[in-house]
Amino acid sequence: MRNFKEIINRVHIQEICSFMLDGIDLTGWNDKPTEESYEDRLQKGEAPIWELLENLYPDGDRKDEIYDLLSKAIITNQEVYTELGIRLGANLIFELLKSNPLKEHGHEENNKEG
């Protein structure tokens, strides 16, 4: 008999994201998913870029222009990946709802009102 709880416990959002974005990469699947907040992860990812720009352009119009360009690129990236994530999630739910494996295997609960 399969241990369904064990199967469910193996599912981590980061592994699913990695699979959807990059394909199958089994090298990191045994790694623990990060427990950092989204805000911390974003700050750690973006901080070196902002620091570099601050050092290259300490002040002035050029710095503002580069900040605007980079901000627009990040926002566009976030919009695209958010939409993609929603579409992938919807497709996944649709695939799950197309079939009813409990009914196919004779394990569907009796949902009739008594």
Side-chain angles (χ1 to χ4, degrees):
M1 176 174 257
R2 293 189 173 105
N3 185 343
F4 291 105
K5 186 175 181 178
E6 183 180 312
I7 293 169
I8 291 169
N9 288 335
R10 281 196 302 250
V11 176
H12 297 288
I13 189 72
Q14 290 160 330
E15 291 173 359
I16 294 170
C17 290
S18 176
F19 174 74
M20 296 293 185
L21 293 173
D22 304 320
I24 296 176
D25 178 15
L26 298 177
T27 58
W29 279 32
N30 291 326
D31 296 344
K32 252 190 157 179
T34 183
E35 294 180 8
E36 293 178 291
S37 70
Y38 292 133
E39 292 84 7
D40 289 344
R41 290 168 57 191
L42 287 173
Q43 183 186 16
K44 281 183 179 180
E46 295 174 3
I49 293 171
W50 301 122
E51 191 175 309
L52 173 66
L53 290 177
E54 190 66 39
N55 290 332
L56 290 174
Y57 307 100
D59 52 41
D61 292 339
R62 186 69 177 146
K63 178 178 114 178
D64 292 339
E65 179 184 344
I66 303 232
Y67 269 53
D68 287 344
L69 287 172
L70 187 56
S71 294
K72 287 176 185 175
I74 290 172
I75 288 168
T76 300
N77 187 286
Q78 290 174 341
E79 289 171 347
V80 167
Y81 280 103
T82 298
E83 183 179 332
L84 182 61
I86 291 168
R87 288 179 183 275
L88 289 172
N91 283 346
L92 184 59
I93 290 170
F94 179 72
E95 288 297 318
L96 289 171
L97 294 175
K98 278 194 334 188
S99 67
N100 184 347
L102 294 177
K103 184 177 182 180
E104 292 169 6
H105 297 294
H107 298 295
E108 188 174 55
E109 293 180 4
N110 185 357
N111 290 328
K112 295 180 182 177
E113 292 182 21

